[in-house]
Amino acid sequence: MAKAEVEVITSERRRRHWSRADKERIVAAALQPGATILGVARAFGVHSSQVFRWRQQLCGKETPSPGFAAVTIAADPHVATARTQGLIEVEIGAETKIRISGSADPAIVTALIAALRAGSR
């Protein structure tokens, strides 16, 4: 049989008071790689919504990532061959580049757009 820990509150104050240090310790545990809010909340005996609130108070509100990114059109030295063969090139950030050469099949272009939309969410 598992032992359960019970906290008895004998004072008139019915709510537990968490010090700022305790809140910071719990939020820091929740920010560790691989940690989940629910797991941390259970480990410290607090409701998960309280951990979310403390994280918001201590770390600030999360700003949503922008839906659109800046686009730069650069001259390509292979433009002459690309015009005759067909070329679609999409760059996302500095590391991701998608290039479709040859005749652009509408199904491939549609799949590319769907993948980009799914990845931006």
Side-chain angles (χ1 to χ4, degrees):
M1 186 165 130
K3 290 185 177 182
E5 190 174 309
V6 177
E7 181 178 357
V8 178
I9 302 172
T10 58
S11 68
E12 289 296 316
R13 202 164 79 183
R14 300 249 184 247
R15 295 182 181 198
R16 289 186 285 183
H17 174 73
W18 295 90
S19 68
R20 182 168 176 94
D22 288 337
K23 292 177 185 180
E24 289 173 352
R25 187 169 44 94
I26 293 170
V27 170
L31 294 175
Q32 293 298 316
T36 62
I37 296 288
L38 184 58
V40 170
R42 285 181 179 166
F44 286 96
V46 65
H47 197 273
S48 59
S49 65
Q50 190 66 58
V51 179
F52 278 112
R53 184 173 299 135
W54 290 341
R55 186 180 69 180
Q56 184 179 10
Q57 289 171 350
L58 297 172
C59 300
K61 290 189 176 185
E62 293 181 24
T63 57
S65 60
F68 294 98
V71 175
T72 304
I73 300 175
D76 188 359
H78 306 291
V79 170
T81 57
R83 285 186 183 155
T84 59
Q85 296 177 355
L87 176 69
I88 298 174
E89 184 173 282
V90 179
E91 289 185 29
I92 304 170
E95 299 176 1
T96 306
K97 182 185 272 189
I98 299 169
R99 181 180 284 174
I100 301 173
S101 60
S103 61
D105 181 34
I108 293 175
V109 176
T110 303
L112 171 67
I113 292 170
L116 289 173
R117 284 183 180 160
S120 67
R121 290 182 187 158

